[in-house]
């Protein structure tokens, strides 16, 4: 037969074991919850169901309004929202929120600070502890029971331990939310930057088009007209002073060279035929003209059935091929160039390969000077693809990328 004193000791030991188990369980559960409301409600649920208290709640301090706002609560029947209380003026919770000290009341009927709540009318004892960040009270953890003297100093210690765990969990959630907000803001800024880059690229292309048309319709026509006028004078049947004919011929050659250079500039500014004829025809025309102007050995190899892509994607592909050939002319004169277009269902693989001198991809000096490569990379990223560059000194350079997305299959 168990002695009454032993029974009391056994019950107390079991109670403390449940308290330690609760502290451990709360620590485990809080580590996996990333929402403050869910976190607080889970704490009050665990405390209430573990000990069968009449009511458990958590209030947080709103310093601006001077209100302790109930954020979570649970009674013996389940979840129950509590009332907001004025700090210092209303209730044991309001006093703890103001003082920053725990308060244990064995019989609330004899305590002037107790605030009667008709939704939980059977409270007889109450214990409340502050949730503190440093010296600042940010909330109150409160437990109530229908028995008088239901709580003791050990309960205060347990609730204070739980309050510290709640603080750490809240700080973790706040950190997570701050990081999430930062990530969202960064994503929004990245999207805004992408949108700006796309608008800037479109504006740049429109400016290129306008300038190309202005040069073609204006200066180019004036150069051609001036050259024809001089040719007419030079070949007229009337005698010209000695040496004037030769001078006119020299001026005509200069004007012819200027006209050729103007055509090259116009050609570089705006791709002829891209919108109407498509990417394949535009690249073939560009490569043929480039070969004629600069004397490079260029070949276009087409594999698969040609398809059309979005205007932006086709323009980016054209610009990358254009910049690749320009780099070959600048850095690998005399090299042979092969442009391969591989059409495959809704994808297009583009490769520009030369047998020039190549370069070291890891050279720091290259990173400071190869603005053309960086421009090509940005253009590729703008349409959701990645530029691949392979090069090695004495082994030439290969630039490739793949376009994918909606495509309309047709023979170009």
């Amino acid at each position: 037969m168990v002695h009454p004193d032993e029974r009391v000791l056994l019950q107390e030991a079991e109670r403390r074991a449940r308290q330690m188990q609760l502290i451990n369980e709360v620590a485990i559960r809080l580590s996996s919850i990333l929402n403050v409301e869910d976190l607080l409600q889970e704490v009050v649920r665990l405390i209430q169901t573990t000990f069968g208290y009449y009511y458990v709640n958590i209030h947080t301090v709103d310093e601006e309004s001077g209100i302790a706002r109930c954020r979570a609560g649970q009674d013996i029947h389940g979840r129950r929202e509590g009332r907001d209380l004025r700090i210092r003026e209303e209730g044991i919770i309001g006093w703890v929120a103001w003082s920053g000290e725990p308060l244990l009341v064995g019989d609330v009927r004899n305590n002037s600070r107790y605030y009667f709540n008709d939704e939980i009318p059977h409270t007889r004892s109450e214990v409340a502890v502050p949730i503190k960040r440093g010296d600042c009270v940010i909330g109150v953890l409160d437990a109530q029971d229908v028995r008088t003297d239901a709580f003791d100093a050990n309960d205060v210690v347990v609730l204070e331990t739980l309050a510290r765990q709640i603080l750490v969990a809240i700080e973790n959630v706040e950190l997570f939310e701050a990081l999430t907000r930062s990530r969202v803001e960064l994503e929004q800024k990245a999207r805004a930057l992408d949108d700006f880059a796309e608008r800037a690229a479109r504006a740049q292309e429109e400016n290129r088009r306008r300038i190309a048309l202005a040069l073609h319709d204006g200066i180019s026509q004036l150069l051609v007209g001036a050259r024809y006028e001089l040719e007419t004078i030079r070949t007229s049947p009337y005698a010209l002073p000695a040496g004037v004919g030769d001078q006119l011929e020299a001026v005509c050659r200069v004007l012819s060279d200027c006209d050729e250079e103007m055509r090259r500039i116009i050609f570089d500014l705006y791709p002829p035929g891209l919108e109407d004829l498509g990417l394949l025809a535009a690249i073939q025309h560009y490569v043929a003209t480039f070969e004629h102007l600069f004397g490079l050995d260029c070949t276009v190899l087409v594999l698969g059935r040609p398809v059309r892509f979005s205007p932006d994607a086709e323009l980016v592909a054209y610009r990358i091929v254009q910049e690749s050939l320009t780099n070959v002319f600048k850095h690998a004169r005399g090299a042979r160039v092969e442009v391969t277009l591989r059409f495959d269902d809704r994808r297009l693989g583009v490769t520009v390969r030369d047998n020039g001198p190549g370069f070291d991809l890891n050279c720091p000096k290259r990173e400071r000077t190869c603005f053309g490569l960086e421009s090509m990379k940005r253009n590729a990223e703008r349409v959701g693809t990645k530029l691949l560059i392979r090069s090695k000194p004495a082994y030439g350079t290969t630039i490739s990328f793949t376009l994918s997305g909606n495509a309309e299959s047709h023979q170009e």
Side-chain angles (χ1 to χ4, degrees), residues 378-403:
R378 287 195 298 272
N379 274 332
E381 290 171 356
R382 189 163 63 85
V383 292
T385 189
K386 184 177 181 181
L387 192 75
L388 300 178
I389 304 170
R390 297 188 296 276
S391 189
K392 188 177 179 181
Y395 286 90
T397 301
T398 299
I399 291 174
S400 60
F401 62 95
T402 300
L403 291 180

Side-chain angles (χ1 to χ4, degrees), residues 341-352:
L341 305 176
R342 183 185 299 273
F343 293 93
D344 179 17
D345 192 16
R346 294 180 178 275
R347 293 183 301 174
L348 166 63
V350 181
T351 303
V352 181

Side-chain angles (χ1 to χ4, degrees), residues 22 87 115 117 186 205 293 304 338 372 386:
L22 172 65
I87 295 173
Y115 180 87
N117 183 348
L186 287 174
E205 290 300 331
L293 289 175
E338 182 180 88
K386 184 177 181 181

Side-chain angles (χ1 to χ4, degrees), residues 228-243:
Y228 285 160
E229 288 291 337
L230 290 176
E231 285 285 356
T232 301
I233 295 173
R234 187 178 68 83
T235 58
S236 68
Y238 301 102
L240 296 173

Side-chain angles (χ1 to χ4, degrees), residues 29-39 169 172-174 176-177:
R29 291 290 296 123
L30 295 192
S31 65
S32 62
I33 300 176
L34 297 176
N35 176 278
V36 171
E37 302 298 331
D38 294 342
L39 181 150
N172 287 340
V173 171
E174 289 174 347
F176 173 78
E177 291 176 345

Side-chain angles (χ1 to χ4, degrees), residues 88 143 165 180 185 212 221 224 243 261 275 283 349 362 391:
R88 187 179 183 178
Q165 289 183 335
T180 301
E185 289 174 2
Q221 298 302 319
V224 171
E261 178 66 14
E275 292 181 358
I283 287 180
N362 299 316
S391 189

